[in-house]
Amino acid sequence: QVQVVESGGGLVQAGGSLRLSCAASGRTFSSYAMGWFRQAPGKEREFVAAIRRSGGRTYYADSVKGRFTISRDDAKNTVYLQMNSLKPEDTAVYYCAVDLLGRAIVPDREYAFWGQGTQVTVSS
């Protein structure tokens, strides 16, 4: 079973930046696609960004394009979400998820393993 741990959340002012990290176990990490999702209070979980297996392309929700960047370091079994120009509406619990098939797809049901989440709060 893949263990997934997010970190890097916190409180930031609007317009500021934050970098989230997600460490996942597994010696075949480079073959995984990794996704970031978020859930705000009273709202459904939504897709944020995903990255295909090592060397693959990236995908972003329209709401974060141009502001967020997903990247990975396969040597460290880690994926990152660099968040710039943060807005109050970005406030949510952010979850990292693993697609063992390396597809980097949008539907959250296709991701097999999830972290516990990390809170991001953006103040106005």
Side-chain angles (χ1 to χ4, degrees):
Q1 183 169 349
V2 177
Q3 305 296 320
V4 185
V5 180
E6 305 98 332
S7 62
L11 176 65
V12 65
Q13 291 185 331
S17 298
L18 206 60
R19 188 181 75 163
L20 306 183
S21 298
C22 171
S25 66
R27 59 182 176 84
T28 58
F29 178 85
S30 63
S31 70
Y32 304 161
M34 303 295 295
W36 285 99
F37 296 79
R38 67 188 183 187
Q39 187 167 26
K43 299 183 67 176
E44 294 186 354
R45 186 166 58 196
E46 65 177 349
F47 172 79
V48 176
I51 186 166
R52 294 186 72 183
R53 59 187 179 272
S54 183
R57 62 181 296 176
T58 57
Y59 304 86
Y60 299 93
D62 288 342
S63 60
V64 306
K65 285 181 180 177
R67 300 189 297 122
F68 291 10
T69 303
I70 187 171
S71 62
R72 65 192 298 158
D73 185 343
D74 290 340
K76 297 181 178 180
N77 275 30
T78 300
V79 65
Y80 303 97
L81 186 68
Q82 179 66 46
M83 305 184 293
N84 298 326
S85 301
L86 283 162
K87 305 173 181 179
E89 51 262 46
D90 294 319
T91 295
V93 177
Y94 283 70
Y95 297 93
C96 178
V98 177
D99 172 21
L100 298 178
L101 299 182
R103 297 168 293 177
I105 53 177
V106 173
D108 55 4
R109 68 180 182 273
E110 300 298 329
Y111 291 81
F113 299 100
W114 294 76
Q116 80 289 344
T118 186
Q119 177 71 46
V120 172
T121 302
V122 184
S123 62
S124 60

